[in-house]
Amino acid sequence: METKKNYTIVIVLLSVALLIIIFLSLPSPPIRETNLKHFPKIIGEWKGEDYPIEERVYKMLRKSDLLLRAYTNTKGDTVLLFIVASSVNPEAFHPPEICLTGGGTQFLKKEIVQIQINHGKIGCNKLYIKEKDTEFLTIYWFRVGKRNTHSYYIQQLNIVFDQIRRKDSVAAMIRISSLVEKGKIDNIDTIEENFIKEIAPLLDKYLMILSLPTS
């Protein structure tokens, strides 16, 4: 039984290595512009305001389209939406924990949750973060085409599969963050999940190829 298990592991590793070799041998696909810049500023009772993105972030996430926007609803609740989208740059994506590590950031809790939307569920990562005396709740997930996943590694495999098949798919990371007032974590949790339900139907439209690059 142990020999069979080891044999299976070797086959899986060789298959992954073969996919990587095929992927690296392919010519780089042309840059495609996504529809992200047209993502609506008004979504139901939410109104958005764009935030400036630092130049170093643009340089780090080259060949990617970025959106950083604060949305506030009629009750005064605010969430910060950050989307990274790219058709050619797998390196643009990584778990937010990597960026947040250091600088006194503490991860109080992390869990994987399933958020119900109109056409199914989205698997998401939920982070409870503390920076000095301030606490935040962050929910994020990854996409390739219309496939959603909480797993960075599954996203990367989907990117490779689509590029091997020469399929024009937009990959993305969607992150929603909110400031947590003392004793109100459940309330913020509900606010973020409701916001995700609002934006989920829009992602198929705005995380897609807009046009071919101009020569």
Side-chain angles (χ1 to χ4, degrees), residues 1-9:
M1 182 64 69
E2 186 67 26
T3 301
K4 184 177 180 180
K5 180 179 179 181
N6 292 336
Y7 182 69
T8 301
I9 293 173

Side-chain angles (χ1 to χ4, degrees), residues 19-205:
L19 286 173
I20 292 173
I21 292 172
I22 295 173
F23 174 67
L24 293 176
S25 67
L26 293 173
S28 298
I31 298 173
R32 301 287 197 269
E33 183 182 3
T34 75
N35 203 27
L36 182 61
K37 65 182 180 182
H38 298 296
F39 199 84
K41 286 189 175 182
I42 298 178
I43 305 171
E45 64 176 9
W46 296 89
K47 292 184 178 180
E49 179 181 352
D50 288 327
Y51 273 36
I53 298 174
E54 297 179 15
E55 184 63 28
R56 65 177 183 86
V57 176
Y58 274 114
K59 290 181 179 179
M60 180 174 63
L61 302 178
R62 62 193 184 281
K63 300 180 182 179
S64 303
D65 293 334
L66 308 178
L67 175 72
L68 180 60
R69 185 177 293 165
Y71 282 88
T72 303
N73 65 13
T74 53
K75 298 177 183 178
D77 305 316
T78 299
V79 297
L80 186 64
L81 174 65
F82 180 50
I83 299 178
V84 182
S86 177
S87 64
V88 297
N89 186 18
E91 297 177 1
F93 307 102
H94 51 266
E97 296 94 309
I98 295 176
C99 295
L100 297 172
T101 300
T105 300
Q106 301 177 49
F107 295 96
L108 304 179
K109 185 179 180 181
K110 177 178 179 179
E111 58 182 331
I112 299 171
V113 297
Q114 299 289 326
I115 297 179
Q116 183 70 48
I117 58 175
N118 289 340
H119 55 277
K121 294 182 178 180
I122 298 177
C124 303
N125 300 284
K126 184 180 291 186
L127 297 176
Y128 298 92
I129 303 166
K130 185 174 183 179
E131 294 181 3
K132 297 182 179 179
D133 296 326
T134 306
E135 294 185 10
F136 300 89
L137 174 63
T138 293
I139 299 177
Y140 74 91
W141 73 97
F142 301 96
R143 277 172 66 97
V144 179
K146 296 183 179 181
R147 291 156 291 175
N148 297 287
T149 177
H150 73 277
S151 172
Y152 162 78
Y153 299 103
I154 291 177
Q155 184 217 34
Q156 293 293 298
L157 283 175
N158 284 333
I159 291 173
V160 172
F161 289 145
D162 281 5
Q163 292 195 358
I164 289 174
R165 295 184 296 165
R166 311 304 291 173
K167 183 177 180 181
D168 287 330
S169 297
V170 173
M173 188 275 292
I174 302 97
R175 186 179 77 193
I176 296 95
S177 302
S178 302
L179 178 67
V180 178
E181 296 181 22
K182 188 174 182 179
K184 294 186 177 181
I185 185 66
D186 291 337
N187 184 46
I188 298 300
D189 198 335
T190 301
I191 290 169
E192 289 197 5
E193 291 196 12
N194 287 339
F195 180 74
I196 289 171
K197 292 176 182 179
E198 290 278 357
I199 68 170
L202 301 172
L203 297 177
D204 290 346
K205 178 179 179 180

